[in-house]
Amino acid sequence: MRHDEFAFVIYRNKVDTKISKLHRMAYIAWIRLKIFTGYRLRFALDILGICISVLQYLLLSLLANPQDLARLGYGTDYFAFVVWGVALARYVWDLVGMMVHWVWHEISSGTFGVIVSTTTSIKLWLMGQALFSTVWASIWFMGVILVASLVGFHPSLSIFQLIQTVFVILVMIIIHAGIGIMFTGISIYHKQVDVLVFLLAGIIEMFGGVIYPLSLLWNIPVLYYVALALPFTHGLEIIRKVAISGYSILTPPLLTHFIVLLSFVWIIPLGFKTVDYYLAKARRTGDVFSY
Amino acid sequence: MDAIKVKNVVKIYKSKRKTVKALNGVSFHVRKGEFFALLGPNGAGKTTLTKILATILLPDGGEVTIMGYDVVSQADKVRRIIGWCEGENGGRSLYWRLSGIDNLKLFAALYGLNPRDAEKRIWALLKFLDLDHAAYKLVKSYSLGMKIKLMLARALIHDPEVLLLDEPTLGLDVESTIKIRRFLKTLCNEVDKTIFFTSHNMHEVEALADRIAVINKGKIIFIGTPDELKRRVEKFKIVEVTLLSNDAEEIKSKLMKMPVVRKILSFQRRENTLRFRVLVDNLYEAISDIALALKGYKIERIERALPSLEEAFLRLVFQGEAK
Ligand SMILES: Nc1ncnc2c1ncn2[C@@H]1O[C@H](COP(=O)(O)OP(=O)(O)OP(=O)(O)O)[C@@H](O)[C@H]1O
Ligand SMILES: [Mg+2]
């Protein structure tokens, strides 16, 4: 190419910078997917992971006592009880874990710093990461449901139940994306924060009522209050009662849970504040590029 | 108009054990359309300064503006008009698992370019940099030279007015270096970009830059044209003597006694050869005098040597102090 031709394309055609933020966000998520599927073994292991965890809980369900569950208002099917718990716990764990994993990947491979120097704000970029992680975690979630249905999980939801379930899941996911943004914000300055993800997953599994009913925790009130402090607990409780037992979200106890769940939306602005805080700090200390 | 204004910039890295004053009151201006080089040895503060210009590091004091926008309070506006490329990381900041073209498309999107314009610009850049044949290959299969070219293309994707290039030719072979230099020269001369370029290679910068600033230990110790720098440094006359001997001390004292010798700059021993670099007042007088003084030794070579950057700094610093 001759110099003058080059100059014509590069210089004389002024660039048009008009694409919307949504467009950018979607592109960021798309590129993330492209990179992810490039790591084939990781991809295959994820699929294997779905099968293993479902089978694990199938075995566990054989040990449970149906009468106890029925008495507590969750139907007699412990497997259904536990599949909802596990699938949702994995859903939010995957969402947060994916975000932290890939943002860390960018920090340690040095692309993060260059992105800071572009006109796309890191907050928008993180929303792109959250979008990808949500899509991926949703596929995972449906994978768990699918594998479980092959081994005896047969949820039969009316349209009304389905709409309520999807709606509550959506609220839960958005709140947990806020937690993901907060964690990635911390990782901008403190770098490795995988432990936070494990901690979150552990707390959710222990206190969120994933494998045993929330009300069992009532025997140890301190734990019960820990459970109530997690948005996950409230979301799971509603979904089980709606999807398994057919309650409406408008019945008073479920409505209370739902209002509490909604009140956790403050996590989202807090997440963005955390990003601002730690990005400014990393820019001051020269740690945008370090890992 | 000035494209870049840097005034009294201070940057201090603090850690528990020690604090490093990486920039200690740096000031200079870069004119619009100028090819400006910042020259300095390792650890001088070049990368620190470039990162401040690129808005990813915040200064602790002073003022920096690019095209009139403040890099701290108007970082968004600055980001639109700068393109930043760091050669130091050897292409680490690219997406190795994506093709060259996907890398560029992503950054085009991050700068908000509409896809049709982006496509045109991307191909023009790839062709111009001889990367079009590798456009669809994954970056992990690129050579270092190709990666650096891709980083340059990325820095240009949004048509920035000011290019910030931190040692973009580091680790390249001669041919690639020449190509990249020619490319940069074109950008500056034909499409009127302002280029801020850092290097620790004085001879590289001499050929390219309109003006040069020399930085050492966080302070600017010289600003001027390459000719001015050359004139300063040329006053600095060095003779290098290589001889077969083990008698380092004796030779040293002989050299020191000579009136034409000002200072022994360095001394190396390799097996049984010794090499001295000597600062002298008069080059030709010195060469014959040294040959005479070391008569009887097995002299392999006596020759004029070009000052290394560090030696040139000694000179600049020395002059600064003498004033
Ligand atoms: N993140 C950091 N934390 C602490 N000290 C730092 C950091 N980055 C750089 N420094 C220190 O600041 C000084 C200037 O470093 P800088 O990287 O700017 O030098 P440079 O001129 O780019 O050198 P080189 O030619 O080796 O690239 C050095 O003493 C370096 O050790
Ligand atoms: Mg450097």
Side-chain angles (χ1 to χ4, degrees):
Chain A
M1 186 181 258
R2 293 202 333 267
H3 284 176
D4 48 350
E5 271 177 66
F6 172 75
F8 182 74
V9 179
I10 289 301
Y11 189 60
R12 312 237 161 78
N13 287 355
K14 270 286 159 210
V15 300
D16 175 17
T17 56
K18 285 281 158 54
I19 67 167
S20 67
K21 290 191 168 167
L22 210 64
H23 187 147
R24 292 193 209 190
M25 216 172 102
Y27 202 83
I28 291 163
W30 161 243
I31 286 288
R32 169 61 57 234
L33 179 71
K34 230 174 174 172
I35 294 172
F36 179 46
T37 50
Y39 292 91
R40 296 216 186 95
L41 181 65
R42 163 80 206 256
F43 191 80
L45 288 177
D46 263 18
I47 307 282
L48 188 66
I50 295 178
C51 302
I52 291 176
S53 62
V54 171
L55 293 177
Q56 199 180 323
Y57 290 103
L58 176 67
L59 292 178
L60 203 66
S61 70
L62 301 175
L63 304 174
N65 180 349
Q67 281 84 50
D68 284 350
L69 278 179
R71 187 164 47 76
L72 295 168
Y74 296 98
T76 55
D77 186 354
Y78 179 66
F79 189 50
F81 174 86
V82 99
V83 164
W84 280 112
V86 171
L88 286 169
R90 297 298 309 229
Y91 199 173
V92 300
W93 178 19
D94 244 38
L95 167 63
V96 177
M98 272 283 178
M99 285 185 71
V100 168
H101 172 82
W102 286 111
V103 170
W104 171 241
H105 185 81
E106 301 245 0
I107 290 172
S108 60
S109 54
T111 44
F112 180 78
V114 187
I115 287 164
V116 174
S117 79
T118 69
T119 52
T120 290
S121 79
I122 282 302
K123 287 191 259 184
L124 183 69
W125 183 75
L126 285 175
M127 280 158 71
Q129 303 302 326
L131 178 64
F132 161 76
S133 304
T134 306
V135 171
W136 183 251
S138 305
I139 295 172
W140 230 101
F141 173 72
M142 287 188 272
V144 171
I145 300 284
L146 185 78
V147 174
S149 69
L150 295 178
V151 293
F153 171 62
H154 301 296
S156 53
L157 274 63
S158 69
I159 277 290
F160 191 53
Q161 274 172 300
L162 190 68
I163 291 171
Q164 293 182 70
T165 307
V166 169
F167 179 64
V168 176
I169 288 178
L170 213 65
V171 174
M172 258 173 102
I173 287 306
I174 290 172
I175 287 169
H176 284 85
I179 296 180
I181 283 176
M182 190 160 74
F183 285 4
T184 52
I186 298 171
S187 76
I188 291 172
Y189 178 75
H190 289 291
K191 312 302 168 183
Q192 305 236 2
V193 296
D194 330 23
V195 178
L196 279 180
V197 180
F198 285 114
L199 217 61
L200 178 76
I203 290 174
I204 284 178
E205 290 233 325
M206 282 277 285
F207 305 114
V210 174
I211 48 178
Y212 44 77
L214 180 59
S215 33
L216 281 192
L217 280 179
W218 186 230
N219 298 331
I220 315 166
V222 180
L223 297 187
Y224 189 73
Y225 292 122
V226 172
L228 291 185
L230 301 172
F232 181 83
T233 314
H234 302 280
L236 178 61
E237 186 66 14
I238 303 167
I239 289 166
R240 274 189 183 138
K241 292 263 161 80
V242 170
I244 303 176
S245 321
Y247 290 102
S248 154
I249 196 174
L250 296 175
T251 50
L254 291 195
L255 196 61
T256 316
H257 280 300
F258 187 65
I259 290 166
V260 178
L261 177 65
L262 273 184
S263 72
F264 278 100
V265 289
W266 55 264
I267 286 177
I268 297 161
L270 182 70
F272 284 123
K273 276 261 158 22
T274 312
V275 172
D276 279 341
Y277 174 79
Y278 281 116
L279 183 60
K281 189 157 178 171
R283 283 173 70 203
R284 250 190 334 270
T285 59
D287 281 312
V288 172
F289 263 98
S290 65
Y291 60 98
Chain B
M1 184 200 173
D2 285 323
I4 303 175
K5 275 191 211 168
V6 176
K7 208 169 144 195
N8 281 324
V9 169
V10 175
K11 181 71 212 176
I12 301 166
Y13 291 114
K14 284 197 197 88
S15 69
K16 287 212 181 71
R17 261 172 253 131
K18 59 171 186 175
T19 58
V20 179
K21 209 161 194 178
L23 297 175
N24 190 357
V26 169
S27 304
F28 62 85
H29 292 198
V30 178
R31 297 177 199 122
K32 211 168 166 239
E34 190 170 46
F35 199 128
F36 187 90
L38 182 69
L39 188 64
N42 293 136
K46 304 181 296 293
T47 299
T48 302
L49 185 58
T50 315
K51 282 181 176 164
I52 289 175
L53 294 173
T55 75
I56 69 159
L57 187 65
L58 295 170
D60 292 319
E63 221 178 288
V64 182
T65 60
I66 298 185
M67 295 293 182
Y69 298 120
D70 188 280
V71 295
V72 178
S73 60
Q74 296 171 295
D76 289 347
K77 294 226 167 73
V78 171
R79 286 169 184 163
R80 174 67 195 83
I81 53 174
I82 57 163
W84 173 49
C85 168
E86 196 183 48
E88 215 168 67
N89 62 31
R92 213 171 64 89
S93 69
L94 293 162
Y95 288 87
W96 287 29
R97 292 273 172 164
L98 293 177
S99 63
I101 194 160
D102 276 343
N103 265 277
L104 296 181
K105 277 184 181 169
L106 171 63
F107 279 87
L110 290 175
Y111 281 107
L113 266 66
N114 87 41
R116 242 176 304 114
D117 282 4
E119 190 92 17
K120 245 191 277 169
R121 292 181 60 79
I122 287 169
W123 282 109
L125 284 163
L126 287 174
K127 275 199 193 123
F128 197 74
L129 285 162
D130 289 327
L131 277 179
D132 46 338
H133 64 283
Y136 293 101
K137 284 196 189 134
L138 294 189
V139 170
K140 65 177 178 157
S141 71
Y142 279 24
S143 69
L144 178 62
M146 291 160 83
K147 284 183 194 130
I148 288 177
K149 285 182 190 169
L150 189 63
M151 288 202 293
L152 278 170
R154 176 174 72 184
L156 285 164
I157 195 77
H158 55 300
D159 197 20
E161 291 176 52
V162 178
L163 274 176
L164 307 169
L165 310 172
D166 193 6
E167 308 211 34
T169 53
L170 198 72
L172 292 184
D173 63 17
V174 181
E175 200 194 335
S176 311
T177 306
I178 290 173
K179 269 192 195 159
I180 286 185
R181 285 185 199 160
R182 198 181 305 143
F183 174 68
L184 295 177
K185 215 52 198 162
T186 310
L187 285 176
C188 196
N189 296 344
E190 297 189 24
V191 289
D192 217 21
K193 303 290 182 204
T194 305
I195 297 185
F196 175 88
F197 180 101
T198 80
S199 173
H200 59 247
N201 181 343
M202 184 163 61
H203 306 295
E204 164 168 59
V205 154
E206 269 172 15
L208 284 170
D210 298 323
R211 277 191 318 138
I212 296 175
V214 178
I215 187 170
N216 190 30
K217 294 191 179 133
K219 283 198 154 157
I220 301 278
I221 53 176
F222 169 88
I223 299 187
T225 63
D227 278 344
E228 284 167 352
L229 180 64
K230 225 188 277 175
R231 250 178 277 137
R232 284 261 195 117
V233 172
E234 262 166 10
K235 285 189 204 143
F236 196 46
K237 297 185 182 78
I238 297 174
V239 174
E240 196 174 277
V241 191
T242 314
L243 40 82
L244 279 173
S245 166
N246 285 317
D247 245 346
E249 287 313 313
E250 196 182 313
I251 295 169
K252 237 189 227 174
S253 68
K254 276 196 173 155
L255 287 172
M256 301 261 257
K257 273 187 211 132
M258 297 175 61
V260 76
V261 170
R262 274 233 249 145
K263 196 176 173 192
I264 297 181
L265 293 171
S266 65
F267 147 66
Q268 274 182 328
R269 185 199 301 269
R270 197 169 293 143
E271 290 177 16
N272 48 6
T273 62
L274 298 174
R275 180 182 296 160
F276 295 90
R277 282 171 80 88
V278 194
L279 181 65
V280 299
D281 283 328
N282 182 318
L283 198 66
Y284 302 105
E285 202 178 296
I287 290 179
S288 51
D289 282 6
I290 289 172
L292 218 59
L294 299 181
K295 200 172 170 188
Y297 285 96
K298 291 179 184 157
I299 299 178
E300 287 201 325
R301 234 177 320 170
I302 300 187
E303 60 188 351
R304 174 186 187 177
L306 286 172
S308 70
L309 190 58
E310 281 72 17
E311 288 165 338
F313 285 147
L314 280 180
R315 177 75 179 171
L316 290 169
V317 173
F318 175 74
Q319 279 188 341
E321 280 168 1
K323 266 178 204 166

